[in-house]
Amino acid sequence: MRKQPRQARSIATVEAIIEAGAHVLSEAGWAGFSTNKVAEAAGVSIGSLYQYFPDKLALVEAIRRRHFDHVLSVIRDAAAEQKPLRQFARELVRGMIATHSVHPTLHQVLLDEAPSDRGSRAAHASFQSRYLEQYAAAVAQYRKRLKDTQTVARVLSSAIEGVIHNAARRNMLDAPELQKQLVELISAYLSGARTV
């Protein structure tokens, strides 16, 4: 970002721009994404947008970081406190589905279409590290004697990502049976993991 918002009004403006950017990027893809469209969708002047974001790549980076933050908060909230495994699984699935349902095609555009630079690759690497740490902490809660929580965390996170992202691509995130099966998968995997 060009500058950090400090006052409530500025913070609200930046949030409106990022939300509008996510909507435009999700609906129009990278080819149809422009700062003019985002400013119009956000109800702000193009000058206001450029006050915070020097170009559309900076805006995409802010959208990407916000998505990362939402995903991390879902894992953290689901794993907060010691709760029964099935409840953890339900909360994790509901949260991931809710996060990916707002703009279902956004993640695909961010991964497959929007360009990234060294900064966004570094942000993604940082996100991946925190993401796996949070999954490993959750795994450790339910499999206390497991020696390799990192591998189990990688397998679990990959399975959840795969199901959620494929469901988003196929417009199936709201399918109750899919949610139920994903809860079953998480519960069975975490209750049945064995040390090697």
Side-chain angles (χ1 to χ4, degrees):
M1 286 180 65
R2 183 167 270 162
K3 75 174 192 174
Q4 291 295 324
R6 305 241 184 265
Q7 299 175 347
R9 185 173 175 210
S10 301
I11 292 169
T13 298
V14 168
E15 185 55 32
I17 291 168
I18 294 172
E19 178 57 32
H23 175 74
V24 171
L25 192 60
S26 180
E27 294 296 314
W30 176 250
F33 183 72
S34 73
T35 52
N36 284 326
K37 286 180 183 176
V38 172
E40 183 181 338
V44 301
S45 70
I46 192 70
S48 292
L49 186 147
Y50 284 132
Q51 186 177 4
Y52 298 101
F53 302 100
D55 54 34
K56 68 182 189 176
L57 287 175
L59 180 53
V60 166
E61 187 56 30
I63 293 165
R64 190 177 273 128
R65 285 175 191 257
R66 186 177 75 160
H67 179 70
F68 292 165
D69 289 345
H70 286 171
V71 167
L72 291 172
S73 71
V74 166
I75 303 166
R76 186 175 51 250
D77 292 349
E81 306 166 9
Q82 186 71 36
K83 51 184 81 153
L85 174 56
R86 205 163 201 61
Q87 181 182 347
F88 161 75
R90 276 194 301 270
E91 289 180 17
L92 183 62
V93 169
R94 283 186 197 132
M96 287 297 187
I97 287 174
T99 295
H100 288 82
S101 293
V102 178
H103 302 292
T105 57
L106 177 62
H107 199 273
Q108 182 177 353
V109 173
L110 288 172
L111 284 176
D112 300 339
E113 298 176 27
S116 60
D117 59 16
R118 215 176 342 174
S120 62
R121 286 191 294 275
H124 189 262
S126 172
F127 161 74
Q128 284 287 19
S129 175
R130 291 183 297 156
Y131 179 71
L132 288 172
E133 282 173 16
Q134 287 191 10
Y135 266 109
V139 166
Q141 280 188 41
Y142 298 103
R143 300 300 300 168
K144 295 193 183 333
R145 289 188 288 267
L146 188 65
K147 291 180 183 171
D148 189 0
T149 57
Q150 292 296 321
T151 299
V152 173
R154 283 184 193 281
V155 171
L156 181 64
S157 64
S158 295
I160 294 168
E161 275 179 47
V163 171
I164 296 290
H165 293 165
N166 285 326
R169 284 186 173 112
R170 294 181 174 93
N171 199 24
M172 294 177 56
L173 283 172
D174 60 351
E177 188 59 28
L178 180 126
Q179 295 177 32
K180 180 182 171 196
Q181 291 302 318
L182 189 51
V183 168
E184 292 295 326
L185 182 146
I186 295 165
S187 300
Y189 185 58
L190 287 183
S191 66
R194 296 284 182 262
T195 54
V196 179

